[in-house]
């Protein structure tokens, strides 16, 4: 192609792009805040991952600190405390997947069976409300109910004559209470996606099932659940991507001098190491390790879902 023709083609392509941008300028402006958010809070901080490969010294700065390669990552598997914290994180995430993940699905199925629309909307509004409370408020409510002189212990003492149960200080109650808080706070909000998926189920399928004599449970098992199976799989894949993310704010607020030695998770451990002990490089390495594990789990779960005939995330 002659150089003049190539130049003319390039100019025409540039002109088309400019016309398209101008035509869609309002849509692009609507998307600009989201783009800026991801650039500032998601992509720009990635330059800080360089700290994971150096022995950061605040007096020398990032560029002049000693390069140590993968030494910080080796510490993750050599430090017994990190292994314990990693196990706590995995165990807590496992409990949340087993108990908290199905809660919105079950609640959406129950709401889908309600025929009184006024009652249904009222229940939805009530169960959505905890989502809008901060974890500070949620944990504060929990402390009011379950502390030594809280409402629960007062009720147990006056009704059954029991001694006060140390819900907030006994480490054995820590994980069940964290999972219960997640269910109470997020189960209602999580039903939005599943109710939207249920709204797309063809009602003729239920009518045909009724004619064939299927009970409500049979209809749920053979029609409702298969209809939202792809949505469940996608949400599960996304949840696996955060398997090492136990929620810093909630766990940090639940920790106290009686349980912090045994119930630390990776998020709070990174805070203690990076902020309180100024071990920035090691804390960055742990955070990077979390991200890599989450990426691997998402990719693996996505491939497994595709092998079983599901759509997957990508």
């Amino acid at each position: 192609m002659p150089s003049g023709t190539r130049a003319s083609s390039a100019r025409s392509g540039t002109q088309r792009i400019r016309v398209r941008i101008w035509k869609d300028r309002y849509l692009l402006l609507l998307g600009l805040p989201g783009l800026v958010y991801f650039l500032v809070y998601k992509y720009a901080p990635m330059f800080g991952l360089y700290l994971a490969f150096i022995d950061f010294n605040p007096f020398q700065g990032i560029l002049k600190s000693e390069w140590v390669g993968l030494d910080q990552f080796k510490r993750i598997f050599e430090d017994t405390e990190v292994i314990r914290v990693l196990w706590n994180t995995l165990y807590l995430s496992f409990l949340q997947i087993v108990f908290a993940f199905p809660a919105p699905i079950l609640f959406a199925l129950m709401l889908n069976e309600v025929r009184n629309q006024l009652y249904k909307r009222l229940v939805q509004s009530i169960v959505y409300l905890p989502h809008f409370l901060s974890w500070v408020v949620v944990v504060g409510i929990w402390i009011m109910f379950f502390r030594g002189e809280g409402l629960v212990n007062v009720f147990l003492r006056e009704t059954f004559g029991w001694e006060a149960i140390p819900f907030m200080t006994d480490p054995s109650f820590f994980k069940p209470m964290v999972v219960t808080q997640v269910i109470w706070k997020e189960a209602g909000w999580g039903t939005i996606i599943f109710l939207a998926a249920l709204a797309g189920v063809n009602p003729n399928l239920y009518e045909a099932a009724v004619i064939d004599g299927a009970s409500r449970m049979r209809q749920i098992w053979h029609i409702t659940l298969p209809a939202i199976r792809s949505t469940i799989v996608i949400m599960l894949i996304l949840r696996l991507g955060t398997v090492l993310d136990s929620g810093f704010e909630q766990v940090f607020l639940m920790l106290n001098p009686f349980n912090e030695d045994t119930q630390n998770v990776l998020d709070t451990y990174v805070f203690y190491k990076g902020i309180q002990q100024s071990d920035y490089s090691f804390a960055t390495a742990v955070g990077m390790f979390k991200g890599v594990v989450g990426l691997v789990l998402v990719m693996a779960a996505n491939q497994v879902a595709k092998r079983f005939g599901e759509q997957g995330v990508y």
Side-chain angles (χ1 to χ4, degrees):
M1 181 183 294
S3 59
T5 305
R6 287 199 298 268
S8 177
S9 177
R11 284 195 298 271
S12 62
T14 304
Q15 184 65 23
R16 285 195 298 270
I17 294 174
R18 290 177 179 175
V19 171
R20 184 66 181 272
I21 292 176
W22 179 254
K23 181 181 178 181
D24 298 333
R25 60 189 183 277
Y26 296 116
L27 290 176
L28 294 174
L29 285 174
L30 285 174
L32 184 60
L35 178 62
V36 172
Y37 168 80
F38 280 100
L39 289 176
V40 173
Y41 293 103
K42 301 298 181 181
Y43 287 95
M46 291 182 70
F47 292 103
L49 295 178
Y50 179 74
L51 287 172
F53 303 95
I54 63 175
D55 185 11
F56 177 67
N57 187 326
F59 300 102
Q60 294 179 342
I62 295 179
L63 298 179
K64 294 184 179 180
S65 295
E66 180 185 1
W67 175 268
V68 295
L70 299 177
D71 288 354
Q72 302 293 351
F73 295 92
K74 293 178 182 178
R75 288 177 58 191
I76 296 177
F77 302 99
E78 294 173 353
D79 193 334
T80 56
E81 185 179 5
V82 178
I83 301 300
R84 177 182 58 79
V85 169
L86 181 60
W87 165 250
N88 283 342
T89 306
L90 291 173
Y91 185 42
L92 184 58
S93 294
F94 172 76
L95 292 177
Q96 291 189 15
I97 291 175
V98 171
F99 295 103
F101 179 77
I105 303 173
L106 296 175
F107 193 67
L109 293 175
M110 289 189 291
L111 280 178
N112 191 55
E113 297 300 314
V114 177
R115 295 294 173 259
N116 188 322
Q117 294 301 314
L118 179 61
Y119 177 73
K120 182 178 180 179
R121 288 195 294 269
L122 176 63
V123 173
Q124 284 179 291
S125 300
I126 292 174
V127 298
Y128 289 171
L129 287 177
H131 170 78
F132 298 99
L133 300 177
S134 70
W135 278 115
V136 176
V137 176
V138 172
V139 175
I141 294 173
W142 234 252
I143 293 174
M144 290 176 59
F145 274 86
F146 292 98
R147 64 184 179 180
E149 294 298 324
L151 295 178
V152 173
N153 274 318
V154 170
F155 172 79
L156 294 176
R157 183 177 65 248
E158 295 182 355
T159 306
F160 303 103
W162 293 3
E163 295 292 332
I165 301 175
F167 291 107
M168 302 305 301
T169 57
D170 190 341
S172 62
F173 287 105
F174 181 84
K175 291 183 177 67
M177 295 191 73
V178 168
V179 175
T180 306
Q181 290 171 4
V182 172
I183 295 174
W184 180 76
K185 186 176 186 295
E186 302 295 347
W189 184 256
T191 59
I192 294 176
I193 296 176
F194 298 107
L195 284 174
L198 289 171
V201 180
N202 189 348
N204 294 331
L205 296 175
Y206 294 106
E207 295 175 3
V210 171
I211 294 173
D212 291 339
S215 63
R216 292 305 302 177
M217 290 303 298
R218 285 288 184 181
Q219 294 175 39
I220 293 174
W221 184 257
H222 293 288
I223 299 175
T224 306
L225 285 177
I228 64 173
R229 183 175 58 188
S230 60
T231 304
I232 295 174
V233 170
I234 290 175
M235 297 304 295
L236 179 59
I237 292 173
L238 295 176
R239 178 62 184 86
L240 288 176
T242 59
V243 71
L244 294 182
D245 186 2
S246 301
F248 166 77
E249 188 176 4
Q250 179 194 11
V251 176
F252 181 76
L253 292 169
M254 287 291 293
L255 290 175
N256 55 59
F258 299 97
N259 59 27
E260 63 182 0
D261 290 337
T262 58
Q263 302 302 320
N264 249 331
V265 296
L266 277 177
D267 290 327
T268 54
Y269 180 74
V270 168
F271 171 78
Y272 291 136
K273 294 292 288 186
I275 303 300
Q276 294 190 348
Q277 300 181 18
S278 301
D279 195 351
Y280 303 109
S281 294
F282 182 64
T284 304
V286 175
M288 189 174 180
F289 171 74
K290 283 176 49 183
V292 172
V293 171
L295 175 63
V296 171
L297 288 175
V298 166
M299 296 178 66
N302 191 71
Q303 291 301 317
V304 171
K306 286 188 174 182
R307 287 184 178 274
F308 281 92
E310 299 297 334
Q311 185 177 3
V313 179
Y314 59 90

